[in-house]
């Protein structure tokens, strides 16, 4: 390592005194078959597998010291090869993001990039062959350290192997962008670096790592290291030749990069730089000039570390990984009561999805009720069909499928079904009087301790409970559709909801593996309120005269997973109209009811677009319905108006105490509406673009929370 980089890395380590340091232990062993003395480096932070091994500045220095030792041994001929592996279940999961968050200067960020490169690339310049043994989870820098080795093996048991940097707002900056395409070809590298990252950080399994050609051999997890060493011996003795395919450095490479740009455009619409920086490096790597590639990675890494996208990505990552596990305002979990039977009022699609979720996660009896036997049979049938699909995919065995199917039943009489239920949730028509009647009927037959939960998306929990004898046991339990996919669960506390009921609700949410956020009983809660304000402004500018295409493109720079009107189609125009009417009654000065949306719903249209050509095109019948004014905004004016409206609404929600902090707003949007990680939800974007201060006079987040430290 160069003196300058060593000094910078030491400086970075001083900035990060709380690093969980990874040691690089060197031991020696005789390879089987008489191949000779072998040095094995084991990466280990001294903690169990729940605390994965990472590379901070001091950890890189430790690996560098281990390489110093084996380099001398290789030079004097006392070893025939060098291997690197990890502790049980973990190889290494890359750079320590806690340290990255602390960096406030470009030169410190550059030191992290150069430090990783300078250490890792030494593995490819040693006097003997080097081997990486991917024994467990490997991500980011963990994958990259292996790419610098001569050979790689992988365990069949690995379930998490990835280069996730683009997902967070970085590039694979320790060799990934330059080395991977030169190892497996540009097209496969684009899939790993760009496509998988932008598809919610999709992970590879061990078998896929081998099939892609990243690893040269694959072995079972039980005796992985032993088999890897036998294989290593065969390679070193010349008994086994590793064959790698020739890389297409012509049109195939260019086509792969073009495919990557198409994927990036479709996912982030040019709004996030990381994918494009990674693709630039992959494109340049076609020449095979690794030194130039590493320099480009260093520069991109430093630039992105000092940019807003990465800070927002890390902020979002911390929300989902940490804050989600400790919900703000949740009562003492010891107050929670056990749930041994669940009742579901309703047997429609939403109710059936809920029944399936409770059944799979809690594995307790679940009983559905509805107004007639036909609906009940259809609901139970849906659950049975979905269980059979799981069995068919090998997710559960036949015994488990039989057990689950036996646990779900349906009855017409609530007294028969709910007399011994501990948790009863309604998913009936979104009408206050209907829900009040349902709860009155349930309260009359349910045990005194039973929680009465509602899946309402916008109605008042307190009003719903107001006519009950025991309103303290009513809680909002708002799921998002599709229930099996979206993690968010808004748990709503009514005016009289007690701590025991709330604690039980949070306990159930944990068992359901949902991200629970405590929400005040305010109209439409969090996600629907923000999305309705967002959508409402889009509809307003269309109603006033802006063309639909301009209104849609105005918010493209946010890089949302879908355009506003496609989202409306997914939600359903009728539901969107209903929520806007609810919020209009609560806040008529800010929430409008679009006459054009009402006309679309009245006409029975399912959305604004038709897809005859495969791409969305404005439905001519919808276009004929639209009554527009003559005020036409530009795309930028649309974006400004919409974002200012959202900034205002979030400011008001925080003033009202709808959630504890702005962080909960972002957690809700990420997990309930698929808001992009690279935005960090919404508030970092509003802060970064100046909307927060312009509308509310202050930023939502303190400096350094989702931005570069001041």
């Amino acid at each position: 390592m160069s003196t300058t980089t060593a000094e910078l890395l030491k400086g970075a380590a001083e900035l990060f005194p709380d690093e969980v340091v990874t040691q690089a232990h060197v031991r020696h062993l005789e390879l089987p078959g008489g191949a000779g003395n072998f040095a094995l480096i084991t990466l280990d932070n001294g903690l169990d597998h729940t605390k994965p091994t990472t590379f901070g500045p001091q950890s890189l220095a430790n690996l560098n010291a281990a390489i110093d030792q084996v380099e001398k041994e290789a030079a004097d001929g006392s070893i025939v090869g060098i291997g690197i592996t990890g502790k049980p279940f973990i190889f290494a999961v890359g750079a320590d993001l806690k340290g990255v968050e602390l960096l406030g200067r470009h030169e410190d960020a550059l030191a992290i990039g150069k430090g990783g490169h300078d250490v890792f690339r030494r593995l490819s310049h040693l006097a003997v062959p080097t081997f990486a043994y991917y024994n467990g989870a490997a991500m980011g820098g963990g994958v990259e350290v292996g790419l610098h080795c001569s050979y790689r093996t992988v365990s069949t048991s690995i379930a998490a192997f990835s280069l996730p940097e683009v997902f967070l707002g970085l590039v694979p900056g320790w060799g990934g962008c330059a080395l991977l395409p030169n190892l497996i070809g540009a097209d496969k590298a684009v899939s790993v670096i760009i496509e998988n990252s932008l598809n919610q950080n999709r992970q590879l399994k061990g078998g896929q790592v081998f099939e892609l050609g990243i690893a040269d051999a694959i072995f079972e997890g039980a005796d992985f290291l032993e088999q890897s060493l036998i294989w290593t011996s065969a390679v070193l003795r010349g008994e086994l030749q590793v064959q790698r395919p020739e890389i297409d450095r012509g049109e195939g490479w260019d086509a792969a990069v073009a495919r990557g740009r198409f994927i990036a455009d479709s996912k982030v619409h040019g709004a996030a730089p990381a994918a494009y920086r990674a693709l630039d490096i992959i494109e340049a790597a076609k020449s095979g000039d690794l030194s130039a590639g590493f320099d480009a990675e260093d520069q991109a890494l430093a630039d992105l570390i000092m940019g807003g996208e990465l800070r927002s990505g890390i902020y979002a990552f911390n929300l989902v990984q940490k804050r989600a596990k400790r919900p703000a305002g949740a009562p003492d979990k010891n107050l929670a009561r056990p749930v041994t039977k669940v009742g579901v009022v309703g047997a429609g699609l939403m109710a059936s999805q809920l029944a399936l979720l409770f059944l799979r996660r809690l594995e307790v009896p679940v009983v559905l009720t509805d107004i007639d036997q036909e609906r009940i049979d259809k609901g139970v049938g849906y659950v049975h069909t979905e269980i059979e699909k799981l069995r068919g995919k090998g997710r559960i065995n036949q015994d488990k499928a039989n057990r689950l199917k036996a646990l779900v039943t349906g009855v017409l009489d609530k007294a028969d079904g709910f007399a011994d239920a501990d948790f009863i949730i309604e998913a009936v028509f979104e009408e206050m009087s209907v829900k009040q009647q349902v709860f009155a009927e349930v309260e009359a037959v349910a045990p005194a301790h039973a929680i009465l939960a509602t899946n309402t998306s916008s109605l008042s929990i307190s009003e719903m409970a107001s006519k009950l004898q025991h309103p303290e046991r009513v809680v909002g339990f708002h799921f998002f559709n599709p229930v099996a996919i979206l993690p968010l669960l808004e748990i709503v506390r009514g005016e009289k909801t007690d701590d025991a009921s709330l604690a039980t609700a949070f306990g159930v949410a944990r068992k359901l593996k949902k991200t629970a956020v405590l929400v005040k009983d305010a109209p439409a809660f969090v996600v629907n309120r923000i999305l309705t304000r967002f959508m409402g402004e889009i509809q307003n500018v269309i109603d006033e005269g802006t063309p639909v295409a301009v209104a849609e493109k105005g918010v493209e720079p946010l890089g949302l997973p879908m355009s506003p009107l496609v989202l409306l189609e997914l939600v359903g125009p009728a539901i969107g109209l209903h929520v806007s009417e609810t919020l209009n009654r609560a806040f008529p000065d800010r929430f409008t009811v679009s006459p054009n949306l009402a006309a679309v719903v009245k006409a029975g249209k399912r959305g604004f677009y038709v897809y005859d050509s495969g791409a969305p095109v404005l439905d001519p019948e919808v276009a004929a319905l639209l009554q527009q004014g003559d005020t036409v905004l530009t795309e930028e004016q649309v974006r400004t108006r919409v974002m200012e409206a959202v900034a205002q609404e979030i400011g008001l929600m925080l003033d009202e105490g709808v959630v504890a902090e702005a962080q909960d707003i972002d957690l809700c949007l990420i997990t309930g509406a698929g808001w992009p990680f690279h935005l960090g939800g919404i508030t970092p974007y509003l802060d970064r673009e100046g909307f927060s201060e312009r509308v509310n006079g202050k930023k939502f987040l303190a400096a350094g929370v989702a931005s570069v430290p001041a």
Side-chain angles (χ1 to χ4, degrees):
M1 194 185 330
S2 68
T3 304
T4 304
T5 304
E7 290 171 353
L8 283 171
L9 198 52
K10 182 181 177 183
E14 290 170 358
L15 291 173
F16 187 20
D18 297 326
E19 176 186 351
V20 177
V21 177
T22 295
Q23 303 297 331
H25 304 291
V26 181
R27 65 187 174 105
H28 295 85
L29 48 90
E30 285 295 322
L31 287 172
N37 191 31
F38 188 77
L40 182 66
I41 300 171
T42 302
L43 304 170
D44 192 345
N45 61 7
L47 302 170
D48 67 20
H49 68 279
T50 63
K51 303 289 184 184
T53 303
T54 53
F55 292 118
Q58 186 56 53
S59 303
L60 287 173
N62 290 343
L63 177 57
N64 193 59
I67 296 173
D68 282 343
Q69 177 186 336
V70 298
E71 183 179 49
K72 292 173 185 172
E73 295 169 350
D76 65 22
S78 60
I79 57 174
V80 296
I82 298 158
I84 185 166
T85 192
K87 67 183 184 181
F89 310 108
I90 304 289
F91 183 78
V93 297
D96 191 323
L97 292 177
K98 294 191 296 295
V100 173
E101 287 178 85
L102 300 172
L103 299 176
R105 299 187 309 162
H106 194 274
E107 54 262 44
D108 293 330
L110 198 61
I112 291 295
K114 286 188 173 296
H117 271 132
D118 285 356
V119 174
F120 289 1
R121 73 194 302 180
R122 294 182 70 194
L123 292 166
S124 62
H125 292 118
L126 297 173
V128 296
T130 51
F131 298 77
Y133 305 133
Y134 292 124
N135 65 300
M139 300 177 197
V143 170
E144 289 171 299
V145 70
L147 295 179
H148 286 269
C149 293
S150 315
Y151 304 96
R152 287 154 295 282
T153 66
V154 68
S155 169
T156 57
S157 63
I158 290 182
F161 185 105
S162 64
L163 289 171
E165 287 84 353
V166 167
F167 176 67
L168 293 171
L170 278 174
V171 298
W174 286 340
C177 289
L179 288 170
L180 192 62
N182 280 291
L183 175 67
I184 64 173
D187 196 61
K188 291 178 180 177
V190 163
S191 293
V192 175
I193 295 169
I194 306 298
E195 189 171 19
N196 288 358
S197 289
L198 293 180
N199 278 300
Q200 295 300 308
N201 193 19
R202 183 190 294 154
Q203 300 293 312
L204 298 170
K205 293 182 169 57
Q208 294 169 302
V209 174
F210 175 65
E211 288 165 12
L212 283 165
I214 299 172
D216 302 304
I218 183 168
F219 302 109
E220 294 292 330
D223 58 351
F224 170 72
L225 186 56
E226 179 184 352
Q227 292 300 319
S228 292
L229 292 171
I230 293 171
W231 182 85
T232 297
S233 175
V235 171
L236 291 174
R237 285 184 286 120
E239 291 181 2
L240 193 153
Q241 299 290 327
V242 172
Q243 302 293 327
R244 294 186 182 132
E246 187 176 341
I247 301 301
D248 181 346
R249 298 185 183 279
E251 292 181 3
W253 194 293
D254 298 335
V257 173
R259 183 174 74 89
R261 296 194 191 284
F262 176 80
I263 292 167
D265 287 343
S266 66
K267 291 291 184 179
V268 301
H269 309 288
Y276 302 97
R277 292 295 293 267
L279 286 163
D280 289 344
I281 301 169
I282 293 171
E283 184 174 34
K286 180 180 178 180
S287 69
D289 185 345
L290 294 180
S291 290
F294 294 165
D295 288 344
E297 287 178 349
D298 288 340
Q299 196 59 53
L301 203 64
D303 291 347
L304 291 167
I305 284 174
M306 298 310 295
E309 183 200 0
L310 170 68
R311 305 303 171 131
S312 293
I314 294 174
Y315 166 78
F317 182 81
N318 288 335
L319 289 180
V320 172
Q321 295 297 319
K322 297 176 182 178
R323 191 176 184 91
K325 293 175 173 60
R326 296 186 293 275
D332 183 347
K333 62 183 179 182
N334 293 318
L335 296 173
R337 294 190 287 264
V339 173
T340 59
K341 183 177 181 181
V342 173
V344 181
V345 184
L349 181 57
M350 190 66 178
S352 300
Q353 289 184 71
L354 297 181
L356 178 67
L357 179 68
F358 280 95
L359 187 66
R360 288 193 64 201
R361 299 295 186 214
L362 272 59
E363 295 190 22
V364 300
V366 175
V367 59
L368 297 94
T369 68
D370 212 312
I371 57 174
D372 60 49
Q373 192 64 45
E374 184 180 352
R375 285 182 171 86
I376 292 169
D377 291 344
K378 186 176 180 181
V380 173
Y382 169 88
V383 176
H384 283 195
T385 299
E386 293 301 310
I387 291 169
E388 279 302 312
K389 287 180 185 176
L390 292 170
R391 185 195 60 76
K393 293 175 183 175
R395 304 273 293 278
I396 58 175
N397 60 29
Q398 186 65 60
D399 286 345
K400 180 76 170 283
N402 291 342
R403 267 200 322 277
L404 291 177
K405 286 195 283 189
L407 285 171
V408 62
T409 56
V411 296
L412 274 170
D413 190 345
K414 294 182 180 65
D416 290 343
F418 297 161
D420 56 348
D422 307 302
F423 191 98
I424 302 165
I425 184 166
E426 69 77 23
V428 299
F429 186 67
E430 193 78 347
E431 180 66 48
M432 181 61 74
S433 60
V434 174
K435 291 184 183 288
Q436 286 179 330
Q437 180 184 342
V438 163
F439 269 163
E441 292 170 358
V442 170
E443 187 181 47
V445 299
H449 69 273
I451 304 301
L452 307 185
T454 171
N455 185 48
T456 182
S457 61
S458 60
L459 300 178
S460 167
I461 309 302
S462 302
E463 185 179 350
M464 209 177 292
S466 62
K467 298 181 180 179
L468 298 179
Q469 292 181 346
H470 296 284
E472 69 278 0
R473 57 178 174 162
V474 176
V475 62
F477 216 62
H478 180 218
F479 291 88
F480 289 79
N481 204 6
V483 170
I485 295 174
L486 290 175
L488 180 63
L489 180 54
E490 291 178 338
I491 296 185
V492 188
R493 182 170 204 156
E495 289 176 7
K496 296 187 177 178
T497 306
D498 62 22
D499 283 351
S501 299
L502 205 60
T504 304
F506 274 99
V508 170
R510 276 192 296 274
K511 290 181 179 177
L512 294 176
K513 299 183 180 179
K514 290 296 182 182
T515 298
V517 175
L518 181 61
V519 180
K520 181 182 176 182
D521 186 17
F525 316 127
V526 176
V527 173
N528 283 342
R529 180 164 166 183
I530 293 171
L531 287 184
T532 303
R533 186 76 196 273
F534 175 83
M535 298 289 294
E537 286 304 318
I538 294 285
Q539 288 161 350
N540 286 343
V541 300
I542 291 172
D543 292 352
E544 292 164 13
T546 299
V548 169
V550 175
E552 292 263 77
K553 286 182 180 176
V555 292
E556 259 191 13
L558 276 74
L560 299 177
M562 63 189 74
S563 75
L565 294 183
V566 173
L567 174 62
L568 180 66
E569 187 173 308
L570 183 69
V571 171
I575 293 174
L577 179 64
H578 173 77
V579 176
S580 68
E581 289 170 341
T582 300
L583 283 161
N584 173 254
R585 287 193 292 272
F587 310 114
D589 57 323
R590 302 193 309 279
F591 288 86
T592 58
V593 178
S594 166
N596 281 320
L597 178 59
V600 167
V601 172
K602 185 177 180 182
K605 305 299 293 185
R606 295 191 172 187
F608 277 63
Y609 295 123
V610 289
Y611 297 85
D612 298 338
S613 64
V617 176
L618 186 63
D619 185 339
E621 293 180 11
V622 170
L625 292 171
L626 296 181
Q627 299 291 318
Q628 294 182 280
D630 55 9
T631 302
V632 179
L633 302 184
T634 65
E635 291 175 17
E636 185 152 346
Q637 288 172 326
V638 170
R639 181 166 59 257
T640 296
R641 178 161 159 183
V642 171
M643 290 297 100
E644 287 183 350
V646 170
Q648 180 193 35
E649 202 59 38
I650 292 172
L652 291 167
M653 290 167 70
L654 293 172
D655 289 345
E656 294 168 21
V658 174
V659 290
E661 293 181 288
Q663 284 88 333
D664 293 313
I665 297 277
D666 293 318
L667 181 58
C668 284
L669 284 175
I670 292 166
T671 58
W675 217 264
F677 252 65
H678 69 260
L679 293 184
I682 182 63
T683 66
Y685 174 82
L686 295 171
D687 285 353
R688 195 162 62 241
E689 297 297 317
F691 294 114
S692 309
E693 288 181 286
R694 191 151 68 242
V695 174
N696 301 317
K698 60 181 180 180
K699 291 184 176 181
F700 290 114
L701 301 169
V705 173
S707 56
V708 177

